[in-house]
């Protein structure tokens, strides 16, 4: 018996070059005869989502390929298989080329450079100018078709002032290039996008942006310490998650006092007095003793150290909510 589906939803996350992979995946989906009637995306996923929802089925793969061919047109050639050791060098050259000269149809370096622009001016707030992306979207996305709502499009961004996630949806709004660009406005490389008097950042910024009335708590394991030990984690006496190597936990909490505890063969606790609008970072140091028993110790670290630790994590935990103290 054939299953009935009310919606066929395609969700596309952010992640730079991951977007090219997404385009290939969509081609495979289309060849299999699957057609989403709702596409949601964040960051580069929002661009792909707009290219899909904003074109008729027969042109979607063509438009995706045209976009990714355009933005990769100045990158060095991929090393042939016999010269695979050159791949790391070519990858570095590719990154340096994009950082120095920009990406066709996407962004260009600001002239003059941001560090020479007067403080407080738009040119001082980002390294690159993303106006080429607006032109590319206007060329490759049929916004009239998109706003006829034949395929639902939802793109995520972050309100710079409040730190809250916002989704722009063609079921509720008339969408334009600015809504897609807002979802990919990743600071400090790209400027925020102004829509109806409000500034928006890349939708992935939610995990590092603090709401005005909230605080962020992060706990991470050091990925360089290869100890495959699972430890229980609790906040204010309530178990919230178990940590593993290279994982990170994130909670958005109300201001207050939080006792964070971890437990293996040993227990460790730190206390954080969280203030609204601030982020706090806890490093969980896990070791194996001479007797081959795991020990762990929690350390509150400064913001720079904590951000580096969080960025090095392989994945975020599916954390349970933390109750208000």
């Amino acid at each position: 018996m054939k299953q009935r589906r009310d919606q066929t939803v395609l969700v596309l996350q952010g992640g730079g070059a991951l977007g090219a992979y997404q385009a290939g995946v969509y081609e495979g989906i289309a060849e299999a005869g699957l057609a989403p009637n709702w596409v949601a995306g964040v960051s580069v996923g929002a661009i792909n989502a707009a290219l899909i929802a904003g074109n008729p089925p027969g042109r979607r793969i063509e438009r995706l390929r045209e976009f990714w061919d355009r933005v990769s047109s100045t990158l060095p050639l991929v090393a042939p298989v016999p010269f695979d050791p050159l791949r790391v060098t070519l990858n570095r050259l590719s990154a340096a080329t994009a950082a120095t000269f920009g990406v066709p149809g996407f962004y260009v370096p600001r002239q003059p450079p941001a560090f020479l622009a007067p403080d407080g001016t738009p040119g001082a707030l980002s390294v690159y100018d993303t106006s080429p992306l607006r032109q590319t979207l206007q060329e490759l996305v049929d916004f009239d078709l998109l706003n006829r709502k034949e395929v639902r499009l939802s793109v995520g961004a972050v309100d710079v002032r409040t730190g809250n996630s916002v989704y722009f949806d063609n079921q509720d709004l008339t969408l334009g290039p600015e809504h897609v660009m807002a979802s990919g406005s990743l600071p400090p490389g790209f400027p925020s996008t102004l829509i109806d008097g409000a500034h928006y950042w890349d939708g992935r910024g939610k995990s590092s942006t603090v709401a005005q009335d909230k605080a962020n708590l992060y706990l991470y394991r050091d990925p360089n310490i290869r100890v495959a030990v699972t430890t229980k984690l609790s906040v204010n006496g309530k178990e919230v998650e178990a940590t593993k190597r290279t994982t990170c936990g994130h909670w958005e909490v109300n201001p207050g006092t939080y006792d964070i505890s971890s437990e293996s063969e040993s227990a460790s606790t730190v206390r954080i007095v969280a203030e609204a609008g601030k982020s706090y970072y806890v490093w969980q140091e896990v070791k194996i003793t001479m007797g081959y028993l795991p020990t762990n110790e929690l350390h509150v670290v400064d913001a720079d150290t904590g951000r580096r630790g969080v960025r090095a994590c392989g994945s975020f935990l599916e954390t349970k909510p933390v109750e208000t103290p």
Side-chain angles (χ1 to χ4, degrees):
M1 188 171 112
K2 188 175 180 180
Q3 290 184 329
R4 180 180 177 276
R5 297 182 178 88
D6 293 329
Q7 303 281 355
T8 302
V9 184
L10 178 62
V11 181
L12 303 173
Q13 71 179 74
L18 180 61
Y21 174 80
Q22 294 172 352
V25 169
Y26 177 78
E27 184 173 5
I29 290 173
E31 289 173 352
L34 295 175
N37 57 6
W38 185 356
V39 190
V42 169
S43 194
V44 74
I47 296 174
N48 282 336
L51 290 166
I52 294 168
N55 281 288
R59 300 204 68 185
R60 291 171 182 170
I61 295 172
E62 170 195 337
R63 290 305 200 189
L64 285 165
R65 184 176 288 114
E66 186 171 351
F67 174 80
W68 286 102
D69 283 346
R70 182 178 304 186
V71 300
S72 61
S73 61
T74 62
L75 301 182
L77 295 175
V78 176
V81 173
F83 301 97
D84 200 57
L86 292 175
R87 188 179 300 274
V88 172
T89 300
L90 290 176
N91 286 346
R92 290 173 179 170
L93 177 60
S94 170
T97 299
T100 304
F101 303 108
V103 171
F106 202 143
Y107 62 86
V108 294
R110 288 197 178 276
Q111 298 297 335
F115 67 87
L116 294 179
D119 289 344
T121 63
L125 300 179
S126 67
V127 179
Y128 301 104
D129 176 4
T130 54
S131 56
L133 177 58
R134 178 182 293 273
Q135 183 175 346
T136 297
L137 290 170
Q138 289 172 331
E139 180 182 342
L140 299 183
V141 177
D142 184 342
F143 283 95
D144 289 333
L145 171 64
L146 189 152
N147 287 305
R148 287 205 290 270
K149 308 178 183 180
E150 295 175 10
V151 175
R152 184 172 182 177
L153 175 66
S154 307
V155 295
V158 170
D159 186 313
V160 174
R161 185 181 65 83
T162 66
N164 293 326
S165 293
V166 175
Y167 277 86
F168 301 115
D169 194 309
N170 66 348
Q171 302 299 299
D172 306 316
L173 302 167
T174 298
L175 299 187
E178 63 276 11
H179 297 93
V180 181
M181 294 175 68
S183 186
S185 296
L186 184 64
F190 301 156
S192 62
T193 299
L194 182 65
I195 300 174
D196 295 332
H199 290 268
Y200 296 92
W201 273 339
D202 187 297
R204 293 178 297 163
K206 173 60 179 171
S207 62
S208 58
T209 305
V210 190
Q212 288 181 324
D213 60 341
K214 301 287 186 179
N216 279 339
L217 298 182
Y218 292 92
L219 182 140
Y220 67 93
R221 290 266 294 265
D222 189 339
N224 296 317
I225 300 178
R226 299 182 177 276
V227 180
V229 173
T230 299
T231 60
K232 294 180 180 179
L233 182 68
S234 63
V235 178
N236 290 345
K238 181 179 180 180
E239 186 175 331
V240 292
E241 194 51 74
T243 67
K244 301 176 182 179
R245 184 172 64 87
T246 74
T247 56
C248 175
H250 168 239
W251 300 266
E252 187 177 71
V253 299
N254 292 320
T257 300
Y258 295 88
D259 290 324
I260 302 175
S261 302
S262 61
E263 182 178 338
S264 55
E265 293 297 322
S266 64
S268 180
T269 301
V270 294
R271 171 167 289 185
I272 291 177
V273 181
E275 299 178 19
K278 294 186 177 181
S279 293
Y280 301 87
Y281 298 86
V282 178
W283 165 41
Q284 184 183 29
E285 181 183 16
V286 178
K287 295 181 179 180
I288 298 294
T289 67
M290 294 296 292
Y292 298 100
L293 295 175
T295 65
N296 86 104
E297 187 172 357
L298 300 179
H299 311 270
V300 178
V301 298
D302 62 82
D304 288 340
T305 301
R307 281 192 288 265
R308 286 195 298 269
V310 170
R311 284 196 296 268
C313 287
S315 61
F316 272 78
L317 300 170
E318 293 294 331
T319 50
K320 301 174 184 177
V322 172
E323 295 181 356
T324 303

